[in-house]
mmCIF file of all heavy atoms in Angstrom:
data_model
loop_
_atom_site.group_PDB
_atom_site.id
_atom_site.type_symbol
_atom_site.label_atom_id
_atom_site.label_comp_id
_atom_site.label_asym_id
_atom_site.label_seq_id
_atom_site.Cartn_x
_atom_site.Cartn_y
_atom_site.Cartn_z
ATOM 1 N N LEU A 724 -11.032 -16.571 -7.127
ATOM 2 C CA LEU A 724 -10.053 -15.501 -7.330
ATOM 3 C C LEU A 724 -10.432 -14.252 -6.541
ATOM 4 O O LEU A 724 -9.579 -13.625 -5.906
ATOM 5 C CB LEU A 724 -9.942 -15.163 -8.819
ATOM 6 C CG LEU A 724 -9.328 -16.235 -9.712
ATOM 7 C CD1 LEU A 724 -9.510 -15.873 -11.179
ATOM 8 C CD2 LEU A 724 -7.870 -16.457 -9.382
ATOM 9 N N LEU A 725 -11.712 -13.900 -6.572
ATOM 10 C CA LEU A 725 -12.166 -12.709 -5.840
ATOM 11 C C LEU A 725 -12.022 -12.885 -4.335
ATOM 12 O O LEU A 725 -11.632 -11.946 -3.624
ATOM 13 C CB LEU A 725 -13.613 -12.389 -6.211
ATOM 14 C CG LEU A 725 -13.831 -11.892 -7.642
ATOM 15 C CD1 LEU A 725 -15.317 -11.848 -7.971
ATOM 16 C CD2 LEU A 725 -13.187 -10.535 -7.853
ATOM 17 N N ALA A 726 -12.312 -14.082 -3.845
ATOM 18 C CA ALA A 726 -12.175 -14.347 -2.407
ATOM 19 C C ALA A 726 -10.718 -14.246 -1.983
ATOM 20 O O ALA A 726 -10.402 -13.643 -0.944
ATOM 21 C CB ALA A 726 -12.740 -15.724 -2.075
ATOM 22 N N GLU A 727 -9.819 -14.819 -2.776
ATOM 23 C CA GLU A 727 -8.394 -14.742 -2.441
ATOM 24 C C GLU A 727 -7.919 -13.293 -2.482
ATOM 25 O O GLU A 727 -7.167 -12.846 -1.611
ATOM 26 C CB GLU A 727 -7.559 -15.596 -3.406
ATOM 27 C CG GLU A 727 -6.082 -15.571 -3.039
ATOM 28 C CD GLU A 727 -5.180 -16.335 -3.987
ATOM 29 O OE1 GLU A 727 -5.684 -16.968 -4.941
ATOM 30 O OE2 GLU A 727 -3.964 -16.295 -3.773
ATOM 31 N N TYR A 728 -8.365 -12.553 -3.491
ATOM 32 C CA TYR A 728 -7.986 -11.147 -3.611
ATOM 33 C C TYR A 728 -8.405 -10.369 -2.353
ATOM 34 O O TYR A 728 -7.614 -9.628 -1.772
ATOM 35 C CB TYR A 728 -8.624 -10.536 -4.858
ATOM 36 C CG TYR A 728 -8.073 -9.176 -5.215
ATOM 37 C CD1 TYR A 728 -7.080 -9.046 -6.169
ATOM 38 C CD2 TYR A 728 -8.547 -8.021 -4.592
ATOM 39 C CE1 TYR A 728 -6.561 -7.806 -6.494
ATOM 40 C CE2 TYR A 728 -8.043 -6.783 -4.906
ATOM 41 C CZ TYR A 728 -7.051 -6.670 -5.865
ATOM 42 O OH TYR A 728 -6.540 -5.437 -6.172
ATOM 43 N N GLY A 729 -9.650 -10.555 -1.954
ATOM 44 C CA GLY A 729 -10.143 -9.860 -0.766
ATOM 45 C C GLY A 729 -9.395 -10.245 0.494
ATOM 46 O O GLY A 729 -9.067 -9.393 1.327
ATOM 47 N N HIS A 730 -9.107 -11.538 0.623
ATOM 48 C CA HIS A 730 -8.378 -12.034 1.794
ATOM 49 C C HIS A 730 -6.976 -11.409 1.860
ATOM 50 O O HIS A 730 -6.545 -10.948 2.922
ATOM 51 C CB HIS A 730 -8.289 -13.558 1.728
ATOM 52 C CG HIS A 730 -7.441 -14.165 2.784
ATOM 53 N ND1 HIS A 730 -7.845 -14.269 4.095
ATOM 54 C CD2 HIS A 730 -6.195 -14.705 2.724
ATOM 55 C CE1 HIS A 730 -6.880 -14.836 4.805
ATOM 56 N NE2 HIS A 730 -5.876 -15.111 4.002
ATOM 57 N N LEU A 731 -6.279 -11.390 0.733
ATOM 58 C CA LEU A 731 -4.927 -10.839 0.717
ATOM 59 C C LEU A 731 -4.935 -9.326 0.876
ATOM 60 O O LEU A 731 -4.089 -8.765 1.584
ATOM 61 C CB LEU A 731 -4.208 -11.239 -0.571
ATOM 62 C CG LEU A 731 -3.946 -12.733 -0.748
ATOM 63 C CD1 LEU A 731 -3.281 -12.995 -2.089
ATOM 64 C CD2 LEU A 731 -3.114 -13.296 0.392
ATOM 65 N N ALA A 732 -5.883 -8.648 0.239
ATOM 66 C CA ALA A 732 -5.957 -7.190 0.351
ATOM 67 C C ALA A 732 -6.206 -6.760 1.794
ATOM 68 O O ALA A 732 -5.677 -5.739 2.241
ATOM 69 C CB ALA A 732 -7.043 -6.646 -0.570
ATOM 70 N N ALA A 733 -6.964 -7.551 2.533
ATOM 71 C CA ALA A 733 -7.243 -7.226 3.937
ATOM 72 C C ALA A 733 -5.990 -7.321 4.803
ATOM 73 O O ALA A 733 -5.928 -6.717 5.877
ATOM 74 C CB ALA A 733 -8.327 -8.158 4.478
ATOM 75 N N GLN A 734 -4.981 -8.059 4.339
ATOM 76 C CA GLN A 734 -3.735 -8.206 5.102
ATOM 77 C C GLN A 734 -2.771 -7.039 4.896
ATOM 78 O O GLN A 734 -1.829 -6.872 5.669
ATOM 79 C CB GLN A 734 -3.025 -9.503 4.700
ATOM 80 C CG GLN A 734 -3.786 -10.746 5.062
ATOM 81 C CD GLN A 734 -3.053 -11.992 4.593
ATOM 82 O OE1 GLN A 734 -1.827 -12.039 4.579
ATOM 83 N NE2 GLN A 734 -3.814 -13.001 4.211
ATOM 84 N N LEU A 735 -2.978 -6.242 3.861
ATOM 85 C CA LEU A 735 -2.034 -5.171 3.529
ATOM 86 C C LEU A 735 -1.791 -4.167 4.656
ATOM 87 O O LEU A 735 -0.637 -3.818 4.914
ATOM 88 C CB LEU A 735 -2.483 -4.430 2.266
ATOM 89 C CG LEU A 735 -2.105 -5.078 0.948
ATOM 90 C CD1 LEU A 735 -2.761 -4.336 -0.207
ATOM 91 C CD2 LEU A 735 -0.607 -5.136 0.768
ATOM 92 N N PRO A 736 -2.828 -3.660 5.340
ATOM 93 C CA PRO A 736 -2.565 -2.617 6.343
ATOM 94 C C PRO A 736 -1.587 -3.028 7.452
ATOM 95 O O PRO A 736 -0.828 -2.198 7.930
ATOM 96 C CB PRO A 736 -3.951 -2.314 6.920
ATOM 97 C CG PRO A 736 -4.896 -2.693 5.839
ATOM 98 C CD PRO A 736 -4.265 -3.882 5.168
ATOM 99 N N GLY A 737 -1.572 -4.291 7.845
ATOM 100 C CA GLY A 737 -0.696 -4.709 8.929
ATOM 101 C C GLY A 737 0.555 -5.439 8.483
ATOM 102 O O GLY A 737 1.316 -5.934 9.319
ATOM 103 N N ALA A 738 0.812 -5.476 7.196
ATOM 104 C CA ALA A 738 1.928 -6.266 6.667
ATOM 105 C C ALA A 738 3.259 -5.534 6.816
ATOM 106 O O ALA A 738 3.319 -4.309 6.743
ATOM 107 C CB ALA A 738 1.683 -6.586 5.198
ATOM 108 N N SER A 739 4.312 -6.316 7.028
ATOM 109 C CA SER A 739 5.662 -5.753 7.003
ATOM 110 C C SER A 739 5.964 -5.325 5.569
ATOM 111 O O SER A 739 5.276 -5.725 4.629
ATOM 112 C CB SER A 739 6.680 -6.805 7.453
ATOM 113 O OG SER A 739 6.752 -7.861 6.499
ATOM 114 N N ARG A 740 7.007 -4.544 5.389
ATOM 115 C CA ARG A 740 7.347 -4.085 4.039
ATOM 116 C C ARG A 740 7.642 -5.258 3.110
ATOM 117 O O ARG A 740 7.231 -5.261 1.959
ATOM 118 C CB ARG A 740 8.552 -3.153 4.077
ATOM 119 C CG ARG A 740 8.216 -1.806 4.639
ATOM 120 C CD ARG A 740 9.450 -0.929 4.653
ATOM 121 N NE ARG A 740 9.180 0.243 5.448
ATOM 122 C CZ ARG A 740 9.273 1.464 4.980
ATOM 123 N NH1 ARG A 740 9.637 1.669 3.746
ATOM 124 N NH2 ARG A 740 8.999 2.486 5.758
ATOM 125 N N ARG A 741 8.341 -6.247 3.612
ATOM 126 C CA ARG A 741 8.687 -7.403 2.783
ATOM 127 C C ARG A 741 7.438 -8.189 2.408
ATOM 128 O O ARG A 741 7.249 -8.567 1.260
ATOM 129 C CB ARG A 741 9.682 -8.294 3.523
ATOM 130 C CG ARG A 741 10.327 -9.325 2.640
ATOM 131 C CD ARG A 741 11.446 -9.991 3.345
ATOM 132 N NE ARG A 741 10.900 -11.143 4.066
ATOM 133 C CZ ARG A 741 11.633 -12.077 4.603
ATOM 134 N NH1 ARG A 741 12.941 -11.991 4.567
ATOM 135 N NH2 ARG A 741 11.078 -13.100 5.202
ATOM 136 N N HIS A 742 6.577 -8.414 3.381
ATOM 137 C CA HIS A 742 5.341 -9.153 3.110
ATOM 138 C C HIS A 742 4.398 -8.323 2.238
ATOM 139 O O HIS A 742 3.701 -8.865 1.390
ATOM 140 C CB HIS A 742 4.671 -9.562 4.424
ATOM 141 C CG HIS A 742 3.578 -10.554 4.264
ATOM 142 N ND1 HIS A 742 3.796 -11.821 3.781
ATOM 143 C CD2 HIS A 742 2.258 -10.462 4.487
ATOM 144 C CE1 HIS A 742 2.642 -12.473 3.729
ATOM 145 N NE2 HIS A 742 1.694 -11.662 4.151
ATOM 146 N N GLU A 743 4.406 -7.014 2.425
ATOM 147 C CA GLU A 743 3.570 -6.138 1.606
ATOM 148 C C GLU A 743 3.959 -6.243 0.131
ATOM 149 O O GLU A 743 3.094 -6.306 -0.747
ATOM 150 C CB GLU A 743 3.700 -4.682 2.068
ATOM 151 C CG GLU A 743 2.876 -3.714 1.263
ATOM 152 C CD GLU A 743 3.051 -2.273 1.713
ATOM 153 O OE1 GLU A 743 3.759 -2.009 2.694
ATOM 154 O OE2 GLU A 743 2.458 -1.403 1.053
ATOM 155 N N ALA A 744 5.251 -6.304 -0.150
ATOM 156 C CA ALA A 744 5.707 -6.435 -1.541
ATOM 157 C C ALA A 744 5.216 -7.744 -2.150
ATOM 158 O O ALA A 744 4.769 -7.774 -3.299
ATOM 159 C CB ALA A 744 7.228 -6.346 -1.607
ATOM 160 N N ALA A 745 5.272 -8.822 -1.380
ATOM 161 C CA ALA A 745 4.791 -10.120 -1.868
ATOM 162 C C ALA A 745 3.277 -10.094 -2.070
ATOM 163 O O ALA A 745 2.773 -10.622 -3.060
ATOM 164 C CB ALA A 745 5.181 -11.228 -0.891
ATOM 165 N N LEU A 746 2.579 -9.467 -1.135
ATOM 166 C CA LEU A 746 1.126 -9.357 -1.273
ATOM 167 C C LEU A 746 0.766 -8.569 -2.525
ATOM 168 O O LEU A 746 -0.114 -8.972 -3.291
ATOM 169 C CB LEU A 746 0.513 -8.680 -0.042
ATOM 170 C CG LEU A 746 0.425 -9.510 1.230
ATOM 171 C CD1 LEU A 746 0.036 -8.622 2.412
ATOM 172 C CD2 LEU A 746 -0.576 -10.642 1.070
ATOM 173 N N GLN A 747 1.432 -7.457 -2.740
ATOM 174 C CA GLN A 747 1.110 -6.635 -3.901
ATOM 175 C C GLN A 747 1.433 -7.362 -5.203
ATOM 176 O O GLN A 747 0.684 -7.228 -6.182
ATOM 177 C CB GLN A 747 1.822 -5.294 -3.809
ATOM 178 C CG GLN A 747 1.213 -4.432 -2.730
ATOM 179 C CD GLN A 747 1.746 -3.018 -2.710
ATOM 180 O OE1 GLN A 747 2.660 -2.664 -3.443
ATOM 181 N NE2 GLN A 747 1.163 -2.195 -1.870
ATOM 182 N N ALA A 748 2.496 -8.146 -5.213
ATOM 183 C CA ALA A 748 2.817 -8.921 -6.416
ATOM 184 C C ALA A 748 1.723 -9.948 -6.697
ATOM 185 O O ALA A 748 1.285 -10.110 -7.836
ATOM 186 C CB ALA A 748 4.176 -9.603 -6.252
ATOM 187 N N ARG A 749 1.272 -10.649 -5.659
ATOM 188 C CA ARG A 749 0.211 -11.642 -5.856
ATOM 189 C C ARG A 749 -1.104 -10.965 -6.224
ATOM 190 O O ARG A 749 -1.860 -11.477 -7.068
ATOM 191 C CB ARG A 749 0.049 -12.501 -4.591
ATOM 192 C CG ARG A 749 -1.042 -13.542 -4.690
ATOM 193 C CD ARG A 749 -0.805 -14.552 -5.790
ATOM 194 N NE ARG A 749 -1.878 -15.541 -5.818
ATOM 195 C CZ ARG A 749 -2.294 -16.160 -6.899
ATOM 196 N NH1 ARG A 749 -1.691 -15.963 -8.048
ATOM 197 N NH2 ARG A 749 -3.281 -17.016 -6.840
ATOM 198 N N LEU A 750 -1.403 -9.817 -5.631
ATOM 199 C CA LEU A 750 -2.628 -9.096 -5.971
ATOM 200 C C LEU A 750 -2.611 -8.667 -7.435
ATOM 201 O O LEU A 750 -3.638 -8.732 -8.114
ATOM 202 C CB LEU A 750 -2.816 -7.888 -5.048
ATOM 203 C CG LEU A 750 -3.198 -8.220 -3.608
ATOM 204 C CD1 LEU A 750 -3.090 -6.975 -2.731
ATOM 205 C CD2 LEU A 750 -4.589 -8.822 -3.523
ATOM 206 N N ALA A 751 -1.465 -8.239 -7.931
ATOM 207 C CA ALA A 751 -1.360 -7.863 -9.346
ATOM 208 C C ALA A 751 -1.599 -9.076 -10.240
ATOM 209 O O ALA A 751 -2.281 -8.973 -11.266
ATOM 210 C CB ALA A 751 0.014 -7.252 -9.625
#
């Protein structure tokens, strides 16, 4: 879980708005 969290969080800075929303939902 921690590895996935870190992997997804690292994608946030370059994510499109749509992908950012999906990332934030999965991170939550």
Side-chain angles (χ1 to χ4, degrees):
L724 292 170
L725 291 170
E727 182 183 357
Y728 192 97
H730 174 74
L731 295 178
Q734 295 178 34
L735 277 173
S739 67
R740 287 180 192 238
R741 193 170 89 168
H742 192 63
E743 179 182 356
L746 286 170
Q747 289 188 355
R749 179 61 179 150
L750 288 169

